[in-house]
């Protein structure tokens, strides 16, 4: 996920759009979010026009209510152990994984790491730091396809939230509005929807079809 952010976005709007349309840097598909302060600019009109033809999506940002959080959710299902993430978690494959957010394992662990569920040497789910700003930390979740439906995502996320609260850090959650499983998990863990924001899908330059 890329973010256009800063005080000068309004003045540089045309330049930013031209940069995105050229897409010389974009060697893979990109998710793009805009600083909410500049949501009133005509991003959708410009980004969905040719040649970009960006897809439009909606992201839900949640607020956290500590009183609604039950740390008991952090108990591991039978046969599974919940352990702190380590450097081996950085390079694991998946759609929402640490290597998509951090440069290397050292940076990942330095900014918060995470917690994983494991059983007989196999990894089931990982809750990890996807973004950190001061005392706020956004949580990412990835569950192995073979381990879904066991409550592992709930267990690792709850264990991570419990650890964050003990350290005085506020957990942050956001996801696609269409990701109903993530929305349900966030609600179960004490989060409530606070804001809905658009974001855009940009196609890698080499895959773009120009008419």
């Amino acid at each position: 996920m890329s973010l256009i952010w800063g005080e000068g976005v309004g003045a540089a709007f045309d330049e930013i759009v031209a940069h995105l349309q050229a897409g010389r840097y974009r060697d893979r598909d990109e998710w793009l979010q805009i600083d909410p302060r500049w949501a009133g600019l005509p991003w959708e009109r410009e980004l969905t026009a040719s040649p970009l033809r960006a897809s439009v999506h909606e992201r839900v940002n949640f607020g956290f209510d500590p009183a609604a959080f039950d740390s008991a959710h952090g108990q591991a299902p039978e046969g599974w152990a919940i352990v702190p993430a380590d450097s081996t978690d950085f390079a694991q494959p998946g759609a929402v994984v640490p290597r998509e957010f951090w440069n290397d394992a050292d940076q990942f662990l330095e900014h918060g790491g995470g917690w994983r569920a494991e059983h007989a040497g196999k990894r089931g789910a990982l809750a990890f730091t996807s973004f950190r700003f001061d005392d706020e930390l956004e949580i990412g979740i990835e569950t192995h396809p073979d381990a879904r439906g066991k409550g592992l995502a709930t267990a690792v996320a709850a264990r991570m939230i419990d650890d964050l609260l003990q350290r005085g850090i506020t957990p942050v959650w956001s996801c696609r509005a269409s990701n109903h499983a993530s929305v349900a998990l966030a609600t179960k863990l004490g989060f409530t929807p606070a804001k809905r924001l658009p974001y855009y899908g940009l196609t890698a330059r080499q895959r773009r079809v120009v008419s």
Side-chain angles (χ1 to χ4, degrees):
M1 177 70 75
S2 299
L3 173 65
I4 294 177
W5 180 89
E7 299 294 338
V9 171
F13 176 76
D14 291 340
E15 183 179 350
I16 292 169
V17 169
H19 175 71
L20 294 171
Q21 288 177 340
R24 296 183 181 91
Y25 68 93
R26 197 161 47 251
D27 57 4
R28 61 177 181 171
D29 292 352
E30 176 184 16
W31 297 114
L32 180 71
Q33 189 169 343
I34 311 298
D35 182 338
R37 291 175 293 179
W38 304 106
L41 295 174
W43 297 104
E44 183 170 337
R45 184 192 71 197
E46 297 297 334
L47 297 182
T48 58
S50 181
L52 264 181
R53 297 177 183 172
S55 56
V56 184
H57 308 268
E58 187 177 53
R59 182 178 178 89
V60 183
N61 289 0
F62 293 83
F64 181 68
D65 179 6
F69 172 66
D70 184 356
S71 61
H73 287 312
Q75 298 299 314
E78 185 176 355
W80 291 86
I82 310 296
V83 300
D86 58 31
S87 60
T88 64
D89 290 297
F90 176 77
Q92 294 300 308
V96 182
V97 289
R99 62 186 173 86
E100 296 293 333
F101 297 88
W102 305 104
N103 293 325
D104 52 46
D106 288 341
Q107 186 188 48
F108 160 57
L109 294 174
E110 178 184 350
H111 285 83
W115 294 81
R116 74 168 180 267
E118 60 182 25
H119 169 65
K122 295 183 178 180
R123 302 165 195 263
L126 176 70
F128 67 94
T129 308
S130 61
F131 182 77
R132 175 78 181 269
F133 182 76
D134 292 337
D135 290 330
E136 294 186 339
L137 186 152
E138 185 165 355
I139 299 173
I141 300 286
E142 180 76 1
T143 303
H144 191 280
D146 295 339
R148 290 173 182 162
K150 302 179 185 296
L152 297 178
T154 301
V156 293
R159 183 68 63 87
M160 184 168 185
I161 291 169
D162 192 36
D163 177 62
L164 294 176
L165 295 177
Q166 291 183 40
R167 293 191 283 140
I169 299 172
T170 300
V172 175
W173 195 287
S174 64
C175 65
R176 299 189 313 274
S178 60
N179 188 344
H180 303 300
S182 184
V183 172
L185 179 55
T187 303
K188 182 177 182 179
L189 293 170
F191 294 90
T192 56
K195 184 178 295 186
R196 293 176 178 266
L197 300 168
Y199 70 98
Y200 305 92
L202 308 182
T203 303
R205 189 167 182 263
Q206 62 267 33
R207 290 181 52 211
R208 190 186 307 164
V209 177
V210 179
S211 58

